[in-house]
Amino acid sequence: MLKHLTVVDHPLVQHKLSLMRDKTTSTAGFRQLLREISHLLAYEVTRELPMTTRAVETPLREIEAPVLAGKKLALISILRAGNGLLDGILDLIPSARVGFVGLYRDEETLKPVQYYFKVPEELQDRMVICVDPMLATGNSSVAAIDLLKKAGATNIRFLCLLAAPEGVQRMQEAHPDVPIVTAAVDEKLNDQGYIVPGLGDAGDRMYGTK
Ligand code: URA
């Protein structure tokens, strides 16, 4: 069983994350690093995919070889920054089903409001991996997972690149059944809700919008 929080401390992950934190890293470099790091994080978050066997004939003899079992897993990207992690995971798992959750923050209530929700069918029969690079306050992650549970998902993982302690705690309180996999847990959130030291706005860094 994955623990509630797994920090992937592999040297390649930590090295790539440090390059991503560097404010002089270009947009192209940031996107490429995110793609590479998402391969390594995907390896960790998919550890518990169910397995079966099937008969395979090697050039020498037949064996019962291990293969993935069950329905294709579902990758759910929280727009827009989730797409950076999604692209890399799809390199590894090209047949995964894909969904999108769009949320914005209501400036009066400060609560997340859904503007887009499209997910694969039969979520209840799939492992669901929800991706967003930054687990900051946890508000959008908790809201996205609420929506996924309402749509039937019962076996959910949350994958991010960086987390704030505040976001981890919020997720632990709201969704203790959803393991979180991340490359690092940083020091804190600042008054604007940015992770410190962090890497800035992941969407802007990825798409060059600032
Ligand atoms: N979202 C980001 O992109 N960066 C943060 O630091 C926090 C939330």
Side-chain angles (χ1 to χ4, degrees):
M1 267 293 273
L2 275 177
K3 294 174 290 190
H4 184 255
L5 177 68
T6 300
V7 177
V8 183
D9 59 359
H10 191 286
L12 289 176
V13 170
Q14 294 305 315
H15 180 78
K16 289 177 195 296
L17 175 59
S18 297
L19 299 179
M20 293 179 79
R21 290 183 190 275
D22 185 340
K23 67 179 183 185
T24 67
T25 296
S26 68
T27 300
F30 188 91
R31 216 164 32 223
Q32 177 62 28
L33 285 160
L34 183 57
R35 196 170 193 120
E36 291 168 5
I37 214 168
S38 63
H39 296 165
L40 300 162
L41 296 174
Y43 175 85
E44 202 57 46
V45 78
T46 52
R47 263 188 193 285
E48 294 170 333
L49 275 173
M51 302 291 294
T52 182
T53 60
R54 76 173 169 84
V56 168
E57 276 207 41
T58 80
L60 302 181
R61 70 175 173 92
E62 189 177 295
I63 53 164
E64 278 299 311
V67 290
L68 296 174
K71 281 211 178 298
K72 303 273 186 299
L73 64 79
L75 302 173
I76 310 294
S77 168
I78 303 183
L79 297 171
R80 75 183 154 152
N83 287 10
L85 280 175
L86 172 69
D87 292 343
I89 303 175
L90 282 172
D91 289 341
L92 280 192
I93 317 170
S95 61
R97 302 308 190 231
V98 178
F100 297 93
V101 179
L103 299 162
Y104 71 88
R105 193 165 72 144
D106 183 295
E107 289 308 328
E108 267 175 31
T109 65
L110 302 182
K111 294 227 168 87
V113 181
Q114 169 193 333
Y115 67 86
Y116 191 76
F117 187 76
K118 182 86 180 168
V119 296
E121 289 181 345
E122 297 167 333
L123 276 194
Q124 67 280 3
D125 299 328
R126 305 178 190 276
M127 180 187 283
V128 174
I129 301 176
C130 184
V131 300
D132 188 348
M134 310 298 271
L135 174 56
T137 60
N139 288 341
S140 55
S141 318
V142 165
I145 290 168
D146 284 341
L147 292 168
L148 293 174
K149 286 185 173 174
K150 225 180 260 173
T154 56
N155 183 13
I156 308 174
R157 312 271 182 283
F158 186 83
L159 179 65
C160 57
L161 177 63
L162 266 186
E166 294 89 335
V168 172
Q169 188 180 342
R170 174 111 168 73
M171 283 281 281
Q172 163 85 65
E173 284 161 9
H175 296 297
D177 57 314
V178 176
I180 300 166
V181 173
T182 185
V185 178
D186 273 7
E187 201 181 309
K188 59 174 183 183
L189 287 180
N190 70 10
D191 293 343
Q192 287 80 45
Y194 279 94
I195 299 176
V196 181
L199 49 72
D201 185 296
D204 284 341
R205 303 254 348 243
M206 181 184 315
Y207 296 121
T209 41
K210 213 171 191 181

